[in-house]
Amino acid sequence: MVVLLSWLLVVATAVQASGLVPRTSPSDPLASCHGYKASNIKTTGSSLTADLSLAGAPCNVYGDDLKSLTLEVVYETDDRIHVKIQDPADSVYQVPASVLPRPSPSSGIKSKDANIQFKYVASPFSFSITRAKTGEVLFDTSAASIVFETQYLRLRTSLPANPNLYGLGEHSDPFRLNTTNYIRTLWSQDAYAIPNGANLYGNHPVYFEHRTTGTHGVFFLNSNGMDIKISNTNGKDQYLEYNTLGGILDFYFMAGPTPLAVSQQYAEVVGLPVMMPYWGFGFHNCRYGYQDAFAVAEAVYNYSKAGIPLETMWTDIDYMDLRKVSLDSWNGKYQLMLQVFSLDPDRFPLKMMQELNHYLHSHNQKQILMVDPAVAYQPYPPYQRGAQDGIFLRRDNGSNWLGVVWPGVTVFLDWFHTGTQNYWNNEFSIFFSPKNGVDIDGLWIDMNEPSNFPCNFPCDNPYASAVGFPPEPPALRTPPRPLPGFPCDFQPPGTKCSGSKKRHDIEAPVALPMLQVTERQAPGKELGLPGRDLLYPKYAIHNAAAYTYADNAAGGGISNHTVNTDVIHQNGLAMYDTHNLFGTMMSTASRYAMMNRRSAERPIIITRSTFAGAGTKVGHWLGDNVSDWPHYQWSIRTMMAFASIYQVPMVGSDVCGYADNTTEQLCARWATLGAFSPFYRDHNGYPPNIPQEFYQWPSVTAAAKKVIDIRYRLLDYIYTALYQQTVDGTPLVNPMFYLYPTDANTFGLELQYFYGPSLLVSPVTEENATSVGVYFPKDIFYDWFTHAAVQGKGSTIQISNLDITDIPLHYRGGVIVPQRVKSAMTTTELRKQDFEIIIPLGSDGKASGQLYLDDGLSLVQKGTTLVKFAFDGKTFSMKGNYGFNAGVKVARIVFLGFKSTPSGCSVDGQKGSGNHNSKTGDYTVTVGKSLSKDFTVVVNH
């Protein structure tokens, strides 16, 4: 054990204090790997560097051992250490900074003052991260030798027994991770039904570990396919082990010491989430399988008729052109093709789509369409323009790499190509033109793992795999019923109606001849080592898309149902390394394309595949779930993971479920639960799945109207919470242990959570149940509906007689909640409603909170309002900056928890009007003050 010459980075014998996993085991093929030894160690006030060389003969198990490595340790803040182990030549692939920008170290950091410390052993080399004040070991790699090979990396850390681990997504497994014989695989796949125990759509190699002594976080910045193994030996020698197919060992350690602090620190690394438009928090509706534009319009009409607020109408791929095209010049056949950036001229003609768009906008509603990354391989303008620009992925011989998605045979965009952004901007400008296209308000992007789901590896005969794709179109029809208020094109012949606007065509430039393939960019730094087997790595990750797990090695399974991993981008990077970045790169390009067409507005983009940092650009829906009770339950923990750990706060599931048929009871319950997720959308699958719009059943209609009323009244409260997360990473959705980190009973709770900093949401989660057990920590809570106080005692209380339209909601004492006095049918109308300020008294009789207001849409705000609320037991104050004129008032303040009747009150020194409800403890003060200046309310006891 070597002690550094400086006091900067000390080595403590405590590193070896706890029982560690044996460095080898008889069945371990890596048992002969000796690891590395450190030399040439240099330190500064905030950093350490060293050379690492093999400590013995190479083991060359899953590739060739790199004989020499470099170590760099940087104390970037008092709470963050960056540890990076890589090759000296800088040739091994690293996640490009263009995809995930790295945080800059703070100036003036001194390692001796940091809250966590880096310590090391020179030979065989290992390192640990410890808490500075207590010496507690948070991460310790002496558990096994470090392996760094051309196509395999292994690093293991020891853990305490029965650790509380969270993260390592995307997955649908328990929120608190299993710690025995558990493998988390990170490799994007089109994961229909989001099964447990499988790799899903996105990749977030970060975990939080929560202990009674504090919380810390570990982010492994690596986009290669990986297995993260968590296990122990008969309950002892707990460990977590990274096994990756490449890249480097690039770690960020975050000190916490609270869950909220770790969330904030992680946001500093991957980037703060982006602010969403206010209307994005409205209710959204979609389904795959709307027969035509009339069916979409009829859903809009039916929501209005039922009195259910509908903010945004979405359309799945149904709108795309599905036609029989001649491919004589290609392969001499005719084939149906579903074309991105196209409209079905019979079922979704441009004129009707524009009229629907105008109707929605005239009613203060919005429209969103889906766009997929796979472009139909046929001679139509979007393909021809892309081929001319050379921006599709190619094979080694220069031909397009062909796969199969919904359109049939397709090509895939190369997001690393220097011309792709211009192409994407241009296609959006043409197809979504306000004048000649469909003027969408937001965007939905899908299939961007990338999915190649009908084509089995090696996908060398895509035309054979494309049989049945695209699916046959639905029957043509004329409008079967009148739709009051819609233009003539939506009415049966002979119906009295208003005139329709004249037909437009989507203008497209004349297609130019395809250019000849040019040579790829020459190899350069961090592009990946030469000579690797990019299709058949020797280590088999547990990618569920392969036929068997073993096929992920010799069987090419990592390429199954996706783009082959030996495809090389224009800049020389390999899909082997960048596969997990495809979705987040599409997200970035799509955000820029949306801003290119509406440069002054915040775009809302909802994606399926994500990587670390995706929240800086987009939101996420949780994929193709199933209409059953387990998926209803899983929707809570998956939402919590993205919002509170991965820093993707605009997140939600397909309410009522996507696959299979929902039931009235399930849909009613899910409607109430979904109202308290940031992203709230009802979406289901293709017929014969039954329709599940909320108006289909009276009970679901009642449930939806009830909870949307609450959601909309609380919309500014959650909008403020999102604003705060965009400022410092404080989550807008909180697991129970985030707010009660010392209460061990909360560590494993995943069926109740906090929506914002105050509202405790505790849904009924079992079929046919009319009651639910709600855990209340030792704190004061208040029923949202009755305002009755509930004194938590760190135990579960049974709440009974819950109809399928009911969901238990409770204010947390001590957190002030601003809410609108009443709801509205659209968020535009909602913004005209006055506020009431709810003050649930904390156990100490005090409370605080805040409210953020802006115009809800602009990328650059002309002015914003941020006010702070405080109540010290006698005086309430509202103080802030009032740069945005909301044009509304604070109508009243409602204090919750006054056991005795106050003797009176004053508003800004003037005698006020107050009313006390002795039964509930409410004390309501009429205020009537404009939300444009400070004021105070004094309550006299």
Side-chain angles (χ1 to χ4, degrees):
M1 183 174 287
V2 174
V3 179
L4 293 177
L5 299 179
S6 168
W7 41 261
L8 302 173
L9 304 161
V10 294
V11 179
T13 55
V15 171
Q16 300 178 355
S18 60
L20 300 179
V21 181
R23 297 180 66 86
T24 63
S25 67
S27 61
D28 184 2
L30 301 169
S32 62
C33 297
H34 300 284
Y36 292 81
K37 56 185 178 182
S39 63
N40 193 28
I41 300 162
K42 299 178 181 179
T43 64
T44 71
S46 60
S47 68
L48 174 148
T49 60
D51 296 330
L52 302 179
S53 58
L54 278 175
C59 53
N60 299 338
V61 176
Y62 300 115
D64 295 334
D65 287 81
L66 273 65
K67 297 179 180 179
S68 299
L69 301 171
T70 61
L71 166 70
E72 181 182 25
V73 180
V74 179
Y75 284 72
E76 296 190 340
T77 73
D78 286 341
D79 294 308
R80 186 176 77 235
I81 295 176
H82 185 195
V83 177
K84 189 174 181 180
I85 299 174
Q86 66 169 86
D87 61 310
D90 204 26
S91 296
V92 174
Y93 165 79
Q94 299 184 31
V95 176
S98 60
V99 179
L100 185 66
R102 312 303 197 263
S104 299
S106 300
S107 60
I109 298 300
K110 296 181 179 179
S111 60
K112 67 181 182 66
D113 299 326
N115 292 315
I116 50 177
Q117 296 288 316
F118 175 89
K119 303 174 183 181
Y120 76 96
V121 175
S123 183
F125 172 76
S126 66
F127 71 88
S128 64
I129 303 294
T130 64
R131 291 206 182 276
K133 292 184 178 179
T134 64
E136 181 182 17
V137 178
L138 307 181
F139 195 90
D140 179 8
T141 71
S142 65
S145 59
I146 293 174
V147 178
F148 200 123
E149 298 180 340
T150 50
Q151 289 191 255
Y152 175 78
L153 280 66
R154 195 265 309 263
L155 183 143
R156 179 184 291 189
T157 178
S158 58
L159 293 172
N162 303 311
N164 300 297
L165 300 173
Y166 312 85
L168 301 177
E170 181 177 5
H171 62 82
S172 61
D173 298 340
F175 186 63
R176 182 171 61 177
L177 300 177
N178 182 16
T179 57
T180 301
N181 297 324
Y182 181 61
I183 300 176
R184 281 292 314 116
T185 299
L186 273 60
W187 187 251
S188 299
Q189 71 142 337
D190 182 349
Y192 185 77
I194 58 170
N196 292 159
N199 47 309
L200 303 184
Y201 310 105
N203 306 278
H204 298 269
V206 59
Y207 73 83
F208 291 9
E209 186 191 346
H210 181 65
R211 306 177 184 179
T212 55
T213 54
T215 312
H216 66 277
V218 180
F219 174 47
F220 180 34
L221 178 48
N222 185 299
S223 67
N224 286 84
M226 69 179 74
D227 283 343
I228 303 171
K229 299 180 179 180
I230 306 173
S231 196
N232 55 71
T233 305
N234 297 323
K236 298 180 180 180
D237 298 331
Q238 185 72 50
Y239 67 89
L240 181 149
E241 181 181 274
Y242 298 94
N243 301 263
T244 84
L245 298 180
I248 66 169
L249 297 171
D250 194 352
F251 287 93
Y252 290 87
F253 298 96
M254 296 150 287
T258 66
L260 292 178
V262 178
S263 292
Q264 294 164 348
Q265 291 155 12
Y266 181 61
E268 292 175 354
V269 176
V270 298
L272 291 164
V274 68
M275 194 66 187
M276 293 287 172
Y278 187 91
W279 62 264
F281 284 95
F283 168 65
H284 307 257
N285 183 82
C286 185
R287 86 162 295 175
Y288 175 35
Y290 281 126
Q291 184 173 352
D292 48 29
F294 176 88
V296 176
E298 187 172 40
V300 174
Y301 171 76
N302 286 339
Y303 270 107
S304 177
K305 184 179 178 181
I308 302 173
L310 173 67
E311 187 72 14
T312 309
M313 190 66 193
W314 296 48
T315 309
D316 209 311
I317 59 174
D318 309 294
Y319 76 86
M320 296 180 187
D321 190 3
L322 180 62
R323 62 176 65 183
K324 189 176 184 181
V325 297
S326 173
L327 301 179
D328 287 343
S329 61
W330 299 60
N331 61 10
K333 298 180 181 179
Y334 285 89
Q335 187 169 343
L336 282 172
M337 300 298 270
L338 187 71
Q339 303 168 330
V340 69
F341 299 121
S342 69
L343 291 174
D344 183 326
D346 300 314
R347 299 167 185 81
F348 293 86
L350 178 60
K351 185 181 178 185
M352 291 185 74
M353 290 295 281
Q354 288 184 329
E355 288 170 343
L356 175 59
N357 183 271
H358 298 324
Y359 178 92
L360 289 166
H361 289 171
S362 68
H363 289 76
N364 294 319
Q365 293 169 296
K366 306 296 189 294
Q367 185 179 33
I368 288 179
L369 301 184
M370 172 185 279
V371 171
D372 286 345
V375 177
Y377 182 56
Q378 60 173 290
Y380 84 118
Y383 169 76
Q384 291 170 315
R385 288 189 289 268
Q388 174 194 346
D389 294 340
I391 48 82
F392 299 126
L393 291 172
R394 306 175 190 175
R395 294 184 179 273
D396 285 341
N397 63 8
S399 64
N400 289 319
W401 195 90
L402 301 181
V404 183
V405 198
W406 292 114
V409 179
T410 60
V411 291
F412 296 81
L413 286 161
D414 181 354
W415 300 111
F416 283 103
H417 194 289
T418 54
T420 298
Q421 186 67 62
N422 287 339
Y423 167 83
W424 208 235
N425 289 354
N426 186 54
E427 296 306 317
F428 275 53
S429 296
I430 294 170
F431 188 65
F432 298 125
S433 163
K435 180 180 179 182
N436 300 316
V438 185
D439 189 19
I440 58 170
D441 303 288
L443 182 69
W444 180 18
I445 53 179
D446 188 18
M447 313 302 288
N448 53 353
E449 291 74 35
S451 176
N452 178 35
F453 70 95
C455 202
N456 298 326
F457 177 79
C459 196
D460 52 6
N461 188 0
Y463 288 97
S465 297
V467 174
F469 292 94
E472 289 291 326
L476 290 172
R477 63 176 180 172
T478 57
R481 294 170 290 280
L483 280 185
F486 280 82
C488 297
D489 291 311
F490 292 87
Q491 310 300 340
T495 304
K496 291 183 179 181
C497 58
S498 58
S500 300
K501 298 191 177 185
K502 74 174 188 176
R503 181 182 180 90
H504 291 298
D505 292 320
I506 296 178
E507 296 178 354
V510 176
L512 299 175
M514 289 181 284
L515 298 180
Q516 294 297 314
V517 173
T518 56
E519 189 147 347
R520 300 181 191 277
Q521 180 176 317
K525 288 191 173 183
E526 299 180 8
L527 293 182
L529 292 172
R532 296 180 295 165
D533 191 334
L534 299 177
L535 286 177
Y536 308 104
K538 292 182 179 179
Y539 179 81
I541 61 172
H542 286 63
N543 166 38
Y547 298 116
T548 68
Y549 290 138
D551 281 323
N552 285 298
I558 58 173
S559 297
N560 199 43
H561 295 170
T562 188
V563 173
N564 286 0
T565 50
D566 65 342
V567 171
I568 307 298
H569 298 282
Q570 184 220 20
N571 67 352
L573 294 175
M575 280 294 292
Y576 178 91
D577 299 310
T578 66
H579 168 86
N580 285 344
L581 304 178
F582 191 95
T584 211
M585 292 194 71
M586 181 187 183
S587 298
T588 300
S590 298
R591 178 173 175 82
Y592 291 146
M594 289 292 284
M595 291 192 296
N596 183 62
R597 49 182 295 275
R598 289 189 183 180
S599 60
E601 296 184 7
R602 298 172 185 152
I604 181 171
I605 300 167
I606 301 298
T607 184
R608 191 166 76 175
S609 183
T610 58
F611 185 71
T616 62
K617 303 293 191 302
V618 295
H620 172 62
W621 104 99
L622 293 161
D624 296 338
N625 60 3
V626 178
S627 298
D628 61 25
W629 289 89
H631 282 81
Y632 165 83
Q633 296 164 1
W634 304 346
S635 72
I636 302 173
R637 63 200 194 197
T638 49
M639 173 195 66
M640 288 197 300
F642 272 88
S644 67
I645 298 177
Y646 311 142
Q647 290 294 328
V648 185
M650 183 56 82
V651 60
S653 66
D654 283 345
V655 171
C656 299
Y658 174 78
D660 299 340
N661 288 330
T662 193
T663 65
E664 179 178 1
Q665 181 190 163
L666 176 62
C667 198
R669 288 289 188 210
W670 214 328
T672 64
L673 172 60
F676 303 100
S677 61
F679 175 59
Y680 184 31
R681 184 186 68 170
D682 179 359
H683 178 49
N684 73 319
Y686 203 83
N689 283 9
I690 63 172
Q692 62 183 39
E693 293 87 358
F694 288 166
Y695 54 75
Q696 296 288 346
W697 301 273
S699 66
V700 181
T701 298
K705 292 170 74 170
K706 179 178 182 178
V707 293
I708 293 175
D709 178 271
I710 299 170
R711 176 184 177 88
Y712 278 24
R713 289 175 64 191
L714 289 168
L715 201 152
D716 296 88
Y717 155 80
I718 202 65
Y719 188 73
T720 299
L722 174 63
Y723 162 77
Q724 192 61 50
Q725 189 159 1
T726 68
V727 170
D728 66 5
T730 301
L732 85 169
V733 168
N734 290 284
M736 294 288 288
F737 83 89
Y738 271 40
L739 302 186
Y740 296 92
T742 62
D743 184 348
N745 293 324
T746 67
F747 297 173
L749 294 180
E750 60 173 39
L751 295 178
Q752 57 185 91
Y753 61 95
F754 286 96
Y755 183 65
S758 173
L759 193 70
L760 176 60
V761 181
S762 310
V764 174
T765 57
E766 299 293 337
E767 186 175 14
N768 299 323
T770 58
S771 64
V772 63
V774 180
Y775 180 80
F776 289 99
K778 294 179 181 179
D779 205 345
I780 186 71
F781 298 85
Y782 301 86
D783 187 285
W784 197 93
F785 301 95
T786 67
H787 294 176
V790 178
Q791 179 58 58
K793 298 180 180 179
S795 60
T796 298
I797 296 177
Q798 202 73 14
I799 298 179
S800 303
N801 301 316
L802 296 169
D803 185 79
I804 62 173
T805 67
D806 294 333
I807 182 168
L809 304 170
H810 292 84
Y811 295 109
R812 182 166 70 106
V815 183
I816 296 175
V817 177
Q819 57 191 48
R820 302 280 179 168
V821 294
K822 64 178 182 178
S823 183
M825 287 296 288
T826 66
T827 61
T828 299
E829 289 301 311
L830 180 67
R831 291 173 64 86
K832 299 175 184 178
Q833 308 306 314
D834 288 339
F835 279 91
E836 61 179 354
I837 310 300
I838 308 298
I839 305 180
L841 300 185
S843 300
D844 59 358
K846 301 176 182 179
S848 62
Q850 65 176 354
L851 172 64
Y852 171 80
L853 297 170
D854 61 18
D855 69 16
L857 187 61
S858 297
L859 271 169
V860 179
Q861 294 288 328
K862 294 180 180 179
T864 63
T865 290
L866 179 62
V867 296
K868 302 288 186 179
F869 306 119
F871 181 64
D872 63 6
K874 180 178 182 180
T875 302
F876 167 84
S877 64
M878 185 180 87
K879 297 181 179 179
N881 298 311
Y882 304 92
F884 174 73
N885 181 10
V888 297
K889 297 178 179 180
V890 176
R892 57 180 175 260
I893 295 176
V894 182
F895 297 89
L896 310 185
F898 276 161
K899 296 179 181 179
S900 59
T901 303
S903 59
C905 64
S906 62
V907 179
D908 275 347
Q910 302 296 315
K911 184 178 180 180
S913 173
N915 179 60
H916 184 246
N917 184 326
S918 59
K919 184 176 180 181
T920 63
D922 290 5
Y923 184 63
T924 303
V925 178
T926 302
V927 176
K929 290 286 186 178
S930 173
L931 233 172
S932 59
K933 61 180 180 180
D934 297 350
F935 71 87
T936 60
V937 173
V938 176
V939 179
N940 299 315
H941 294 280

